[in-house]
Amino acid sequence: MLDEVDTVPVEDPDVLAGPFAHIVVDEAQELTDAQWRMLLQRCPSRSFTVVGDRAQARHGFREEWAQRLERIGLRDVRVASLRINYRTPEEVMEVAEPVIRAAIPDANVPTSVRSSGVPVTYAAASDRDGIIADWLESHADGVACVIGDPTFAGAPRVRSLSPEEAKGLEFDLVVLVDREGFGSGVTGAVDRYVAMTRATERLVVLE
């Protein structure tokens, strides 16, 4: 019978193996040379859209973008800098910019186009729970995040993340804890900068 004939099973194709005509790469500042080689093998056309921020490169980024991309094998590189910051209010950027400039003087720090009217505030670490409770009571909507305090378990509408976990996210309120504990050098500065700039309305720094 036909249903008894042995057949060779056909494996499902790996849709991530390519080849692709074009690849969009986000958080490109974190990619190693080996990771770039993997992407290049999957894109024979060498057609890429690359999005990255040297100010958020935790392990350092000494080259200019054109140098970096040409070194890993891309040609005809065109760089467009994003100079406008729609997410982070100017009150937060005024505090965050010196943090990253101290480690990466030529970092591309965008200019905020809006003000929240809420200055960055500083408080004691023991005020953490009270600050969060007051914010939740006065804000029926929105989300908050405590960054840098693994002892905080999180709550409804309040996340608890490390700086690395918070990258790429945004919150109405950010409560930054033990910022000096993030470390020194470029990695520490980047983590502090990333944590601060997650705030879209209010940043509270606990000391």
Side-chain angles (χ1 to χ4, degrees):
M1 297 178 62
L2 292 177
D3 59 359
E4 295 178 349
V5 177
D6 292 335
T7 59
V8 177
V10 178
E11 295 183 0
D12 292 334
D14 183 356
V15 296
L16 298 180
F20 301 104
H22 185 82
I23 293 178
V24 179
V25 184
D26 195 11
E27 300 289 354
Q29 74 278 355
E30 303 292 357
L31 267 62
T32 65
D33 286 0
Q35 290 169 324
W36 274 114
R37 286 194 294 271
M38 178 188 69
L39 292 176
L40 290 170
Q41 290 173 357
R42 288 161 169 76
C43 190
S45 67
R46 297 294 194 269
S47 178
F48 284 79
T49 297
V50 177
V51 183
D53 184 357
R54 293 175 62 233
Q56 297 189 44
R58 299 186 73 247
H59 303 293
F61 198 113
R62 298 181 179 180
E63 299 166 292
E64 295 292 334
W65 272 109
Q67 295 172 320
R68 171 64 167 155
L69 297 177
E70 289 170 357
R71 181 169 64 78
I72 56 94
L74 297 180
R75 297 292 179 266
D76 300 321
V77 175
R78 290 176 292 176
V79 178
S81 296
L82 300 178
R83 304 185 183 280
I84 303 299
N85 186 345
Y86 295 97
R87 177 182 62 204
T88 314
E90 60 183 12
E91 291 87 353
V92 173
M93 289 306 299
E94 287 175 0
V95 176
E97 181 173 355
V99 170
I100 198 62
R101 292 270 189 225
I104 309 175
D106 62 341
N108 177 33
V109 179
T111 301
S112 295
V113 296
R114 67 182 183 87
S115 169
S116 67
V118 182
V120 176
T121 55
Y122 299 83
S126 58
D127 294 334
R128 183 197 67 189
D129 292 348
I131 291 169
I132 294 171
D134 290 344
W135 184 85
L136 289 172
E137 184 177 353
S138 59
H139 293 77
D141 300 308
V143 290
C145 187
V146 174
I147 301 179
D149 186 356
T151 68
F152 181 71
R157 295 200 290 131
V158 186
R159 300 283 300 277
S160 178
L161 300 172
S162 68
E164 190 171 7
E165 292 170 332
K167 181 179 287 189
L169 304 178
E170 59 184 52
F171 304 91
D172 300 281
L173 166 69
V174 167
V175 179
L176 179 60
V177 183
D178 190 26
R179 55 179 172 167
E180 297 307 319
F182 296 169
S184 59
V186 170
T187 300
V190 166
D191 282 352
R192 283 185 282 275
Y193 176 75
V194 167
M196 291 177 172
T197 55
R198 299 310 93 196
T200 62
E201 180 180 343
R202 182 185 178 193
L203 171 65
V204 178
V205 179
L206 301 186
E207 300 179 313

